[in-house]
Amino acid sequence: MGTVNAAAPRPMRSDAQRNYDRILEVASAAFAEKGVLTSLDDIACRAGVGPGTLYRHFPSRDCLIAAALGESLGRLDALAGRLKASDDPGAALDEWLLAVANHLRTYDNLPESIAEAFRTEDSPLRASCRPLTETTSLLVRRAKEAGAIRADVEPLDIFALVSSVAWASQRRGDSDAGLRRMLALATTGIR
Amino acid sequence: MGTVNAAAPRPMRSDAQRNYDRILEVASAAFAEKGVLTSLDDIACRAGVGPGTLYRHFPSRDCLIAAALGESLGRLDALAGRLKASDDPGAALDEWLLAVANHLRTYDNLPESIAEAFRTEDSPLRASCRPLTETTSLLVRRAKEAGAIRADVEPLDIFALVSSVAWASQRRGDSDAGLRRMLALATTGIR
DNA sequence: CAACGATACGGAGACAGTCTCCGTTTTGTC
DNA sequence: GACAAAACGGAGACTGTCTCCGTATCGTTG
């Protein structure tokens, strides 16, 4: 073909970009303050746009959540890079799981949304978790090879375990220390 | 005083009793089929009563859930009786925790509702869990005394752990075997 | 058994949230 | 500056929650 390739993503129009940014900014704040179940119309309103505009940019709540999670995800990614180079696979996995659990607590009710997203094939929120599950898989494999954890636990089980601990600690309003404790308790069994 | 005691709970009027029963019956079926988040107006409709009637009998969704849980709770209570008499505290606790986890999976989304109920002092749903947490405390104490589990874990932590496993296994659509596996994995740490 | 007060019913409708449709406005290009 | 494409925004359809109050039913009493 003549054109370079499939999606030539022509840049957003300036007003569109501006609105996109404003919505994202307001949404992040709202999610942080009231959890991911906040009214979307309300977010649109606070961002000074109509509901239609919000839904055009982010067709579903999950899209918006996924976008708002970008920053936290970036931090996780940086950590992942460091941990992949670690020479203590057991400790690396521990640190990673704690970081993932904390990520899941970024917003109230986030664990529920993510768990739900995992039930539908093409959820944007699930897609945003991709690097997260992949890193988990890698670190689990390394830990197994190093004999730091049992050979018969699957990465997905571990992810589920961490999610559920994040869920519980959020429901209980636990502190960071509380999360750490629960996570340690729940993950003892993988060793 | 002359009267027997405080609340002389005069019996329901016959039509009220009939409606109460019908609502409960329909609600149980609806919860079992579609989870505890089903539309209450819809339940009222199917029970052949107006929304007002439903809300008079069960002022909140939690009230209705608590009432619908009665049967499962009865079964748990019977099991509790047996386990309290067991001479193997470790095994008794294991069996109990599995039963509790299964109870929490009675309806879809029940773990969320219960976790939420635990955040408000006078929730009817929380009240309905009372015998459940008490039995857990007792069995945990016995298991500690027998040296079957660590002395530094609290009953509430264990309850939270079981809840979160029930939550996760429900979100994943796990089978009974799956639940059993996850529960074993998550509770290894208490030993 | 009639009549009356207490009890309970039920549905209209207020309210909140989601999401869409389409007439209008803004943008960027020629 | 004019035109087409892109984007806006808000009215409103729809769903679910929950209440209020005029009406119906029940059970008791004379």
Side-chain angles (χ1 to χ4, degrees):
Chain A
M1 315 167 194
T3 59
V4 220
N5 59 19
R10 92 184 60 127
M12 266 183 189
R13 231 171 67 172
S14 63
D15 53 347
Q17 183 70 55
R18 193 177 342 121
N19 284 330
Y20 182 97
D21 292 344
R22 270 197 70 71
I23 292 169
L24 203 48
E25 190 183 352
V26 170
S28 299
F31 288 158
E33 190 190 350
K34 307 192 200 169
V36 297
L37 264 29
T38 326
S39 156
L40 294 187
D41 275 28
D42 192 51
I43 288 176
C45 181
R46 289 203 219 180
V49 304
T53 299
L54 184 148
Y55 283 96
R56 195 172 327 102
H57 286 302
F58 307 96
S60 70
R61 181 182 298 273
D62 279 6
C63 279
L64 189 50
I65 297 175
L69 241 26
E71 199 175 326
S72 169
L73 222 76
R75 263 180 278 123
L76 266 185
D77 229 45
L79 178 63
R82 260 178 285 138
L83 293 179
K84 282 174 185 168
S86 163
D87 57 354
D88 182 345
L93 183 59
D94 280 346
E95 192 176 345
W96 175 250
L97 295 184
L98 181 60
V100 169
N102 267 316
H103 171 73
L104 293 175
R105 300 208 309 169
T106 304
Y107 302 132
D108 199 27
N109 282 303
L110 182 56
E112 280 94 335
S113 293
I114 288 188
E116 189 55 36
F118 266 80
R119 305 193 60 135
T120 57
E121 200 57 56
D122 54 354
S123 153
L125 191 49
R126 174 174 177 173
S128 85
C129 288
R130 198 82 193 284
L132 221 142
T133 53
E134 278 173 0
T135 297
T136 305
S137 289
L138 178 64
L139 294 180
V140 165
R141 204 179 320 132
R142 292 254 178 92
K144 278 186 188 174
E145 285 163 8
I149 66 170
R150 295 163 46 165
D152 65 344
V153 285
E154 294 305 316
L156 264 183
D157 291 338
I158 293 186
F159 193 77
L161 212 52
V162 173
S163 301
S164 62
V165 169
W167 174 78
S169 79
Q170 193 170 72
R171 293 296 84 194
R172 300 211 298 173
D174 274 0
S175 63
D176 266 30
L179 169 66
R180 218 177 277 258
R181 223 165 55 80
M182 281 293 288
L183 187 61
L185 199 58
T187 56
T188 300
I190 69 177
R191 299 208 162 71
Chain B
M1 313 170 193
T3 59
V4 219
N5 57 21
R10 91 184 59 125
M12 266 184 190
R13 230 172 69 174
S14 64
D15 52 347
Q17 183 70 56
R18 192 175 345 118
N19 284 329
Y20 182 96
D21 292 345
R22 272 197 68 72
I23 291 170
L24 202 47
E25 190 182 353
V26 170
S28 298
F31 288 157
E33 190 190 350
K34 307 192 200 169
V36 297
L37 263 30
T38 327
S39 155
L40 295 187
D41 276 28
D42 192 52
I43 288 176
C45 181
R46 288 203 220 180
V49 304
T53 299
L54 185 147
Y55 282 96
R56 195 172 328 101
H57 285 301
F58 306 97
S60 71
R61 170 175 250 105
D62 280 6
C63 279
L64 190 50
I65 297 175
L69 242 26
E71 199 175 326
S72 171
L73 222 78
R75 263 180 279 123
L76 266 186
D77 229 45
L79 178 64
R82 260 177 285 137
L83 293 179
K84 282 175 185 168
S86 163
D87 57 355
D88 182 346
L93 182 59
D94 280 345
E95 192 175 343
W96 175 250
L97 295 185
L98 181 61
V100 169
N102 268 317
H103 172 72
L104 292 176
R105 301 208 309 168
T106 304
Y107 303 132
D108 200 26
N109 282 303
L110 182 55
E112 280 93 335
S113 293
I114 289 188
E116 189 56 37
F118 266 79
R119 304 194 59 138
T120 56
E121 200 60 55
D122 53 353
S123 153
L125 190 49
R126 174 173 178 175
S128 85
C129 288
R130 197 80 193 285
L132 221 143
T133 54
E134 277 174 0
T135 297
T136 304
S137 289
L138 178 64
L139 293 180
V140 164
R141 204 178 321 132
R142 291 256 178 92
K144 278 186 188 174
E145 285 164 9
I149 66 171
R150 296 164 44 168
D152 65 345
V153 284
E154 293 304 316
L156 265 184
D157 291 339
I158 294 187
F159 193 77
L161 211 53
V162 173
S163 300
S164 63
V165 169
W167 173 78
S169 80
Q170 193 171 71
R171 293 296 84 192
R172 302 212 296 175
D174 274 359
S175 63
D176 266 30
L179 171 66
R180 220 177 276 258
R181 223 167 54 79
M182 281 293 288
L183 188 62
L185 198 58
T187 56
T188 299
I190 68 176
R191 297 206 165 71

